[in-house]
Amino acid sequence: MSSRDIILGRVRRALGEAPRGDAQTSYETAVDREYRREHGSRTTEETVGLLAANLADYRAIVHRCQDEEELPDLIMRLLAARGPQYVLVPPGLPPEWMSAADPTRVHDRAVSTTHDVDKVGSVVTGCAVAVAETGTIVLDGSPDQGRRRITLIPDHHICVVRVPDQVVSSVPQALERLDPTRPLTWISGPSATSDIELDRVEGVHGPRTLEVVLVSGE
Amino acid sequence: MSGTFVGMPAFPVAAHEAVGNTTLRANLRHATHTIRDKRAKAVAELDDWALLREAGKQIKDHTLRHLDTYLVQLEEAVTAAGGVVHWAADAAEANRIVTRLVKETGESEVVKVKSMATQEIGLNEALEEAGIAAYETDLAELIVQLGHDRPSHILVPAIHRNRGEIRDIFAKEMGEWGRPAPEDLTDTPADLAEAARLHLREKFLRAKVGISGANFMVAETGTLVVVESEGNGRMCLTLPETLISVVGIEKIVPTWRDLEVFLQTLPRSSTAERMNPYTSMWTGTSDTETADGPRAFHLVLLDNGRTDTLADEVGRQALRCIRCSACLNVCPVYERAGGHAYGSVYPGPIGAILSPQLRGTTSEIDASLPYASSLCGACYEVCPVAIDIPEVLVHLRERVVQGGPATRQGNRVVLKPAKGHAAERAAMRAAGWAFVHPGALRAGQRVASRTRRFHPRTLPGPGRAWSATRDLPQVPAEPFRDWWQRTHGKKESGK
Ligand code: SF4
């Protein structure tokens, strides 16, 4: 007998002979989902404000931009302040965003090895959705976000969030918007550890600096 | 479960040694109290906490009740997404499967993201025997591995080490494994983290095989979820060409939507954060065109005593555990005894009910674990999936003392009462230990009187007939301590 049959047989014996009904049908009624879809009631503006506050609380650096026209200048300044020689860009990043930037642009597809990515100082991406209550940005590998490794290996990540379109209040609302078949990365603040006497240290392995630009759409 | 710490004495003996270690106790106390206070604040932010907790409990109970259906559904979904599913009835089989899979890649080293399941089966040791080096990449696990040590906490495995000790371990050991620590390494956490970053990055960038566990598996979609803080998880899950995940069969949730409950309760219960820094979700392998992440994905579904636990209607609830570690941080016994005393990768209150169920209660350590508690009920109060740990403890105590029906490796057996009253001896020694530490006991009893009403009087299901004719053991009205004083006080109280 295969281990598969052994384990499934053990499960069935453990659960007994009593009829259990159909899993899917009983699932509908098995769980009380009385919990909230979001916590508190806020205006759209307040939700964006909460996102900014919670991002900052977990030591992401937050910038606001009134419209997309200001964006290239802001990105240019943020990159200049860190002075990376190379900056990674995913294939579908709107080219205007980088139109004022100085460092050499390296495209996601061009970096073939992890060592290539390791030579890059900064990465600029969009995002799939941002969660206000938790201060989280979620990337789903869309063309403006690129593969998972490009937002992991470089030490500096600039993530552009279109507000209010890409902002939801809560975790349940975020899951509704996401496609489980895509590779998803949820990011709340920069990488951190509290393993040494519970002192928080940023950037053990992921980017040590996370800058989030909230850009208001037209 | 083969993960018994070899040569481990019973809990009271190990605990007795641990409480004599003042550094350990100071480190532990600081850590558990810090997380405990923060957790309370993080939980208070959600006014529907009780409803989320109840939903989490119901989702898990429903899943366990239909576990066969969901396992098959998960297998189909993972396979359809390009993954390969393997089934492992016990630790030895899981280790054989993983070793074979690594060998097939032709590699002789792997990077690992912290995983309780692989610790439980002793995977690193098995790989080492096969000539494969397994590098732990979680900072705390690295500290434990380099220190030739055992983890002592679910979430912060090196909680028992202070910065000075960590500095010395890094300075002495890193060079043996790869990039050495810098000459002038100080003991500031930032410097220590930087040394670990450089040491491990070298390994991440060249790694061809990654090994992980998972916090959740979604049956409906075949999605796996890993929740972490440092980014070492993301490194292991996305950079290697082959990813092997070893996951206990109880980690399933039926639907994508169910994650909305656990992604709210897990981070707040464990690290007391609104959300942990990184969560990765992946479904099978990505297609060649997107080429994002490993090209080969293997999922090893692990039983190793879980189906035996499932067969016990009272003990089954332990399988709801999402390994948040909140129960450790509130436990007065854990705080004083430390994680190592539990002789298992699962320490604290959850360890006291999970290990004896996964491994059986024949060894002295396992027979003594149900006594490693003051039954104060604090663990139940904080548990985000409402596992009634005191209820299971009492149930297991009775099993140890009276024997009775149980399931071992899928077979129904009738356990004999523990021989020569070994269990009672274990209990008495645990009690003796508690008296040396009256604070633990008092703290325990205070809460116990408040939570007594939560302890059920009858067993659910078929057990009801049994419990209808006798009283289920409860937290006694007379505190154990008073009983002890009354009956044994003179002989033993000075122990
Ligand atoms: S038993 Fe509950 S509180 Fe303890 S680790 Fe598991 S889920 Fe967390």
Side-chain angles (χ1 to χ4, degrees), chain A residues 1-8 10-11, chain B residues 1 71 75 84-101 117-118 120-121 123 217 244-250 298-308 358 409:
Chain A
M1 213 170 20
S2 72
S3 294
R4 180 182 190 276
D5 295 340
I6 291 172
I7 295 171
L8 288 173
R10 284 179 185 174
V11 169
Chain B
M1 175 167 166
L71 279 166
E75 180 188 40
V84 183
V85 177
H86 311 259
W87 301 69
D90 56 23
E93 185 174 21
N95 288 333
R96 273 200 307 278
I97 294 170
V98 178
T99 307
R100 173 173 58 78
L101 291 172
T118 62
E120 175 189 319
I121 61 175
L123 179 65
M217 308 186 280
I244 305 168
S245 301
V246 182
V247 190
I249 52 173
E250 81 283 15
H298 297 273
L299 172 61
V300 181
L301 293 171
L302 178 71
D303 179 347
N304 205 33
R306 286 161 175 78
T307 48
D308 292 343
L358 294 178
Q409 290 169 342

Side-chain angles (χ1 to χ4, degrees), chain B residues 154 266 269 318 320-328 349-350 353 379-380 382-387 389:
Chain B
I154 293 181
L266 177 56
S269 297
R320 293 206 296 257
C321 176
I322 57 172
R323 314 273 189 265
C324 72
S325 77
C327 58
L328 278 61
I350 181 61
I353 62 168
C379 48
Y380 167 69
V382 295
C383 179
V385 284
I387 300 173
I389 295 176

Side-chain angles (χ1 to χ4, degrees), chain A residues 3-4 20 27 32-33 35-36 39 57-58 118 180 184 186 188 191 195 197 200 203-204 208, chain B residues 47-48 58 65 68 75 93 163 194 197 201 230 234 255 258 260 273-274 277 279 281 283:
Chain A
S3 294
R4 180 182 190 276
R20 288 180 271 148
Y27 175 80
D32 290 323
R33 297 195 189 264
Y35 53 84
R36 300 186 195 294
H39 296 86
D57 197 27
Y58 282 2
D118 198 31
L184 300 173
W186 298 53
S188 309
S191 148
D195 281 341
E197 295 182 22
R200 191 176 165 102
V204 199
R208 270 178 283 211
Chain B
D47 58 1
D48 58 344
Q58 290 175 359
R65 192 94 191 90
D68 47 346
E75 180 188 40
E93 185 174 21
R163 59 184 73 189
E194 178 67 17
R197 178 185 176 99
R201 180 152 296 215
E230 292 172 14
R234 292 181 63 194
T255 68
D258 295 324
E260 71 190 19
E273 293 167 304
R274 293 184 191 104
T279 298
M281 302 177 177
T283 305

